[in-house]
Amino acid sequence: MQTNPTTVRLELLIDNKAVPTNHYFEVRDPGKRSSLVAMVANGNAAHADQAVRAAHRAYLSWRDIPVARRIELILDAAQAVEAEASALAETLVREQGMLLADTRRDVANGVETLREIAAIAEDFLKPEQHEDGESLIQIHKAPRGVVAAIVPWNAPMGLTMAKVAPALVSGNTIVVKPSPFAPLAVSRALELIARFLPDGVVNVVHGDGEIGPALTRHPLVRKISFTGGIETGKAVMAAAAESVKNIGLELGGNDPAIVLDDAAPEEIVPHLIKRIFVRSGQVCYAVKRIYVPQSMYGAFFDTLCEAVDRLQVGYGLDPRATLAPVNNHNQFRHIRGLVDSARRDGAQVLELGGRLAPETWDEGYYLRPAVIGKVAPDAPVVVGEQFGPIIPVVPYGSEDEALRMANGTEHGLGSSIWTRDVDRGQALARRIEAGLTFINSHARTKLGDRHIPFGGVKQSGIGRVRTRIGLAEYIEHHTVSLDKRTLGANHKKEDHHATQSR
């Protein structure tokens, strides 16, 4: 597959072979809809079955390869992906629409994830052993089998490698279904990885709504890892129940940021801006609603609007752009609908920021960022996941009220508290219903990548990714218990027969 700016033809990858189909779908540039980026093979249920069976055949031998050798192969593959990082990042801009700086981070995150998981795998996968005078117990960490990984378009490299790395290093094989909105870069990376591995260990099947159910219901798939929306996640969970498969679900968030009354707006707004509008707000744990004390609401709102108005919306490869288009028509329509609904309901809606090359905007999914004030706490733009460049700001009278509103949705992925009083922030953090709570930030650090198990509570998902906790999602604990008293008796008999023979 080429990664230069020409229309490419992307096939399925099954058993390390490119598999064409009779039907192809288009991938167009979200910032230049007239630009056809790729024609992608549209697989069907038969292709999904073929990929799963190839993965199962490969699993029977891949699971027996020593962990150290699997790690070595994965690290070699990570180096090959890193060598193409620049081309992969530019491909992502053209298929996904994000800023080049964001796609570069996504590619780097994918490579780093492969390396981070490889670094902890050998120690983690060692058997545990417990012994007393009567028993010897060994707890082995065995692979599950074939993993079906269904990944979204918003951060395909990082999210895919967060599934691929733990699956492969622990001895599983994998079938990946990329999003039809961003299949190119991640498929190229998977193709590179597959070259270092036995045939069938990594497989890629593209397609629409037929592929997901074919994978999640397949009897040879033993683990499903899905990242996407709540409703699709429920369907995945229901399908997995038919054959009692292990599942991991990351279903998005509606992350609250609670600003306490001792915070200074001019200090925290620049940090908040980065976490609200990263990838044009199309991040599962971006800040999606802000709760501000009534006493400082006006000052905070004005400071936020001034900062947002300095953003420049343009094409992802335009170095002047600080905000890019959204990815697809459905998301564009959803965001416009939330803005229009808030305006009809009497909220204060300010669409801000500069428009770069406005004469080209009709060609893409461009939106100016919107700050929404004087909005009801239960308005759709507040309680639902926007996944776009919108931020509602809601006043509160007490910390208990802020906490009640923050916890008042079925989402529970990330959250943040902004305060100069660390003890006060930590006390409030422990009361938030979320998988992650940050204090005076809203993003993982290098230390966090190594030590934060990422995932949500309530309808934001099931399970965790990254760290040893995430790696544990891809193994079965197999216990072997030996009665040493029986072993001792056998040894005595053997010793007796040996004495007699002498």
mmCIF file of all heavy atoms in Angstrom, residues 305-313 322-323 350-356 361 367-371:
data_model
loop_
_atom_site.group_PDB
_atom_site.id
_atom_site.type_symbol
_atom_site.label_atom_id
_atom_site.label_comp_id
_atom_site.label_asym_id
_atom_site.label_seq_id
_atom_site.Cartn_x
_atom_site.Cartn_y
_atom_site.Cartn_z
ATOM 1 N N CYS A 305 -13.534 32.440 26.409
ATOM 2 C CA CYS A 305 -13.929 32.883 25.067
ATOM 3 C C CYS A 305 -12.793 33.624 24.361
ATOM 4 O O CYS A 305 -12.586 33.454 23.151
ATOM 5 C CB CYS A 305 -15.168 33.776 25.146
ATOM 6 S SG CYS A 305 -16.681 32.877 25.555
ATOM 7 N N GLU A 306 -12.061 34.449 25.092
ATOM 8 C CA GLU A 306 -10.925 35.165 24.491
ATOM 9 C C GLU A 306 -9.895 34.177 23.958
ATOM 10 O O GLU A 306 -9.325 34.363 22.873
ATOM 11 C CB GLU A 306 -10.293 36.091 25.536
ATOM 12 C CG GLU A 306 -11.145 37.305 25.889
ATOM 13 C CD GLU A 306 -10.566 38.079 27.065
ATOM 14 O OE1 GLU A 306 -9.442 37.743 27.493
ATOM 15 O OE2 GLU A 306 -11.238 39.005 27.558
ATOM 16 N N ALA A 307 -9.637 33.111 24.719
ATOM 17 C CA ALA A 307 -8.642 32.113 24.289
ATOM 18 C C ALA A 307 -9.147 31.320 23.091
ATOM 19 O O ALA A 307 -8.396 31.051 22.142
ATOM 20 C CB ALA A 307 -8.317 31.185 25.451
ATOM 21 N N VAL A 308 -10.406 30.927 23.121
ATOM 22 C CA VAL A 308 -10.970 30.153 22.012
ATOM 23 C C VAL A 308 -10.978 30.979 20.737
ATOM 24 O O VAL A 308 -10.738 30.450 19.640
ATOM 25 C CB VAL A 308 -12.395 29.664 22.355
ATOM 26 C CG1 VAL A 308 -13.050 28.997 21.155
ATOM 27 C CG2 VAL A 308 -12.356 28.688 23.534
ATOM 28 N N ASP A 309 -11.210 32.260 20.863
ATOM 29 C CA ASP A 309 -11.282 33.117 19.671
ATOM 30 C C ASP A 309 -9.927 33.245 18.971
ATOM 31 O O ASP A 309 -9.863 33.659 17.818
ATOM 32 C CB ASP A 309 -11.811 34.493 20.057
ATOM 33 C CG ASP A 309 -12.436 35.216 18.877
ATOM 34 O OD1 ASP A 309 -13.039 34.543 18.008
ATOM 35 O OD2 ASP A 309 -12.311 36.454 18.802
ATOM 36 N N ARG A 310 -8.863 32.855 19.654
ATOM 37 C CA ARG A 310 -7.533 32.906 19.039
ATOM 38 C C ARG A 310 -7.222 31.644 18.220
ATOM 39 O O ARG A 310 -6.207 31.594 17.513
ATOM 40 C CB ARG A 310 -6.460 33.107 20.113
ATOM 41 C CG ARG A 310 -6.485 34.501 20.738
ATOM 42 C CD ARG A 310 -5.240 34.768 21.554
ATOM 43 N NE ARG A 310 -5.225 34.006 22.801
ATOM 44 C CZ ARG A 310 -5.741 34.448 23.953
ATOM 45 N NH1 ARG A 310 -6.315 35.638 24.019
ATOM 46 N NH2 ARG A 310 -5.659 33.716 25.038
ATOM 47 N N LEU A 311 -8.062 30.638 18.298
ATOM 48 C CA LEU A 311 -7.855 29.421 17.512
ATOM 49 C C LEU A 311 -8.085 29.706 16.028
ATOM 50 O O LEU A 311 -8.905 30.550 15.668
ATOM 51 C CB LEU A 311 -8.802 28.311 17.984
ATOM 52 C CG LEU A 311 -8.608 27.834 19.428
ATOM 53 C CD1 LEU A 311 -9.692 26.831 19.803
ATOM 54 C CD2 LEU A 311 -7.223 27.218 19.626
ATOM 55 N N GLN A 312 -7.364 28.971 15.191
ATOM 56 C CA GLN A 312 -7.480 29.127 13.745
ATOM 57 C C GLN A 312 -7.889 27.781 13.140
ATOM 58 O O GLN A 312 -7.174 26.779 13.284
ATOM 59 C CB GLN A 312 -6.148 29.590 13.140
ATOM 60 C CG GLN A 312 -5.692 30.955 13.617
ATOM 61 C CD GLN A 312 -6.616 32.064 13.119
ATOM 62 O OE1 GLN A 312 -7.013 32.097 11.956
ATOM 63 N NE2 GLN A 312 -6.975 32.986 14.019
ATOM 64 N N VAL A 313 -9.028 27.754 12.479
ATOM 65 C CA VAL A 313 -9.566 26.510 11.928
ATOM 66 C C VAL A 313 -9.163 26.394 10.463
ATOM 67 O O VAL A 313 -9.410 27.305 9.662
ATOM 68 C CB VAL A 313 -11.105 26.470 12.051
ATOM 69 C CG1 VAL A 313 -11.632 25.120 11.581
ATOM 70 C CG2 VAL A 313 -11.540 26.763 13.482
ATOM 71 N N THR A 322 -4.760 25.652 14.041
ATOM 72 C CA THR A 322 -4.722 25.100 15.398
ATOM 73 C C THR A 322 -5.942 24.244 15.683
ATOM 74 O O THR A 322 -6.067 23.666 16.762
ATOM 75 C CB THR A 322 -4.635 26.229 16.439
ATOM 76 O OG1 THR A 322 -5.687 27.180 16.207
ATOM 77 C CG2 THR A 322 -3.292 26.930 16.349
ATOM 78 N N LEU A 323 -6.844 24.164 14.721
ATOM 79 C CA LEU A 323 -8.029 23.322 14.821
ATOM 80 C C LEU A 323 -8.361 22.836 13.418
ATOM 81 O O LEU A 323 -8.293 23.612 12.455
ATOM 82 C CB LEU A 323 -9.205 24.122 15.395
ATOM 83 C CG LEU A 323 -10.266 23.373 16.209
ATOM 84 C CD1 LEU A 323 -9.651 22.722 17.437
ATOM 85 C CD2 LEU A 323 -11.378 24.322 16.619
ATOM 86 N N LEU A 350 -21.621 31.091 21.451
ATOM 87 C CA LEU A 350 -20.613 31.908 20.771
ATOM 88 C C LEU A 350 -19.755 31.005 19.897
ATOM 89 O O LEU A 350 -19.034 30.137 20.402
ATOM 90 C CB LEU A 350 -19.731 32.636 21.792
ATOM 91 C CG LEU A 350 -20.447 33.634 22.717
ATOM 92 C CD1 LEU A 350 -19.457 34.220 23.717
ATOM 93 C CD2 LEU A 350 -21.113 34.732 21.914
ATOM 94 N N GLU A 351 -19.860 31.182 18.578
ATOM 95 C CA GLU A 351 -19.000 30.455 17.652
ATOM 96 C C GLU A 351 -17.814 31.359 17.342
ATOM 97 O O GLU A 351 -17.978 32.454 16.788
ATOM 98 C CB GLU A 351 -19.774 30.076 16.391
ATOM 99 C CG GLU A 351 -20.898 29.097 16.684
ATOM 100 C CD GLU A 351 -21.640 28.660 15.441
ATOM 101 O OE1 GLU A 351 -21.018 27.990 14.582
ATOM 102 O OE2 GLU A 351 -22.841 28.987 15.326
ATOM 103 N N LEU A 352 -16.637 30.883 17.695
ATOM 104 C CA LEU A 352 -15.456 31.733 17.730
ATOM 105 C C LEU A 352 -14.352 31.180 16.846
ATOM 106 O O LEU A 352 -14.519 30.167 16.162
ATOM 107 C CB LEU A 352 -14.966 31.859 19.182
ATOM 108 C CG LEU A 352 -16.012 32.382 20.183
ATOM 109 C CD1 LEU A 352 -15.542 32.152 21.615
ATOM 110 C CD2 LEU A 352 -16.287 33.870 19.945
ATOM 111 N N GLY A 353 -13.193 31.856 16.853
ATOM 112 C CA GLY A 353 -12.030 31.385 16.115
ATOM 113 C C GLY A 353 -11.995 31.902 14.685
ATOM 114 O O GLY A 353 -13.002 32.286 14.097
ATOM 115 N N GLY A 354 -10.784 31.892 14.118
ATOM 116 C CA GLY A 354 -10.601 32.355 12.752
ATOM 117 C C GLY A 354 -10.808 31.260 11.732
ATOM 118 O O GLY A 354 -10.654 30.069 12.032
ATOM 119 N N ARG A 355 -11.155 31.663 10.506
ATOM 120 C CA ARG A 355 -11.366 30.707 9.412
ATOM 121 C C ARG A 355 -10.249 30.874 8.398
ATOM 122 O O ARG A 355 -10.165 31.889 7.717
ATOM 123 C CB ARG A 355 -12.723 30.942 8.748
ATOM 124 C CG ARG A 355 -13.904 30.843 9.721
ATOM 125 C CD ARG A 355 -15.212 30.560 9.013
ATOM 126 N NE ARG A 355 -15.449 31.421 7.854
ATOM 127 C CZ ARG A 355 -16.329 31.138 6.878
ATOM 128 N NH1 ARG A 355 -17.039 30.018 6.942
ATOM 129 N NH2 ARG A 355 -16.502 31.977 5.872
ATOM 130 N N LEU A 356 -9.397 29.867 8.298
ATOM 131 C CA LEU A 356 -8.338 29.879 7.299
ATOM 132 C C LEU A 356 -8.902 29.390 5.969
ATOM 133 O O LEU A 356 -9.634 28.390 5.921
ATOM 134 C CB LEU A 356 -7.190 28.972 7.742
ATOM 135 C CG LEU A 356 -6.467 29.374 9.044
ATOM 136 C CD1 LEU A 356 -5.463 28.305 9.451
ATOM 137 C CD2 LEU A 356 -5.766 30.726 8.872
ATOM 138 N N TRP A 361 -14.131 26.056 2.620
ATOM 139 C CA TRP A 361 -14.826 25.373 3.721
ATOM 140 C C TRP A 361 -15.983 24.496 3.249
ATOM 141 O O TRP A 361 -16.312 23.503 3.886
ATOM 142 C CB TRP A 361 -15.311 26.405 4.742
ATOM 143 C CG TRP A 361 -14.244 26.732 5.752
ATOM 144 C CD1 TRP A 361 -12.919 26.884 5.507
ATOM 145 C CD2 TRP A 361 -14.416 26.923 7.155
ATOM 146 N NE1 TRP A 361 -12.240 27.168 6.660
ATOM 147 C CE2 TRP A 361 -13.137 27.205 7.701
ATOM 148 C CE3 TRP A 361 -15.513 26.907 8.003
ATOM 149 C CZ2 TRP A 361 -12.941 27.449 9.057
ATOM 150 C CZ3 TRP A 361 -15.318 27.161 9.361
ATOM 151 C CH2 TRP A 361 -14.043 27.417 9.882
ATOM 152 N N LEU A 367 -15.847 23.392 11.224
ATOM 153 C CA LEU A 367 -16.708 24.007 12.228
ATOM 154 C C LEU A 367 -15.888 24.960 13.077
ATOM 155 O O LEU A 367 -14.768 24.622 13.497
ATOM 156 C CB LEU A 367 -17.316 22.938 13.145
ATOM 157 C CG LEU A 367 -18.348 21.988 12.543
ATOM 158 C CD1 LEU A 367 -18.564 20.802 13.471
ATOM 159 C CD2 LEU A 367 -19.666 22.721 12.310
ATOM 160 N N ARG A 368 -16.427 26.121 13.339
ATOM 161 C CA ARG A 368 -15.785 26.997 14.314
ATOM 162 C C ARG A 368 -16.087 26.472 15.712
ATOM 163 O O ARG A 368 -17.179 25.951 15.967
ATOM 164 C CB ARG A 368 -16.293 28.424 14.162
ATOM 165 C CG ARG A 368 -15.951 29.058 12.829
ATOM 166 C CD ARG A 368 -16.601 30.420 12.701
ATOM 167 N NE ARG A 368 -15.949 31.424 13.537
ATOM 168 C CZ ARG A 368 -16.515 32.576 13.898
ATOM 169 N NH1 ARG A 368 -17.763 32.855 13.515
ATOM 170 N NH2 ARG A 368 -15.854 33.451 14.632
ATOM 171 N N PRO A 369 -15.150 26.580 16.642
ATOM 172 C CA PRO A 369 -15.404 26.100 18.005
ATOM 173 C C PRO A 369 -16.491 26.926 18.671
ATOM 174 O O PRO A 369 -16.572 28.144 18.471
ATOM 175 C CB PRO A 369 -14.060 26.269 18.701
ATOM 176 C CG PRO A 369 -13.354 27.330 17.916
ATOM 177 C CD PRO A 369 -13.801 27.157 16.487
ATOM 178 N N ALA A 370 -17.324 26.251 19.462
ATOM 179 C CA ALA A 370 -18.459 26.914 20.110
ATOM 180 C C ALA A 370 -18.330 26.828 21.626
ATOM 181 O O ALA A 370 -18.121 25.742 22.175
ATOM 182 C CB ALA A 370 -19.768 26.281 19.658
ATOM 183 N N VAL A 371 -18.455 27.970 22.285
ATOM 184 C CA VAL A 371 -18.530 28.035 23.742
ATOM 185 C C VAL A 371 -19.983 28.327 24.094
ATOM 186 O O VAL A 371 -20.588 29.261 23.550
ATOM 187 C CB VAL A 371 -17.605 29.120 24.311
ATOM 188 C CG1 VAL A 371 -17.703 29.156 25.846
ATOM 189 C CG2 VAL A 371 -16.168 28.880 23.875
#
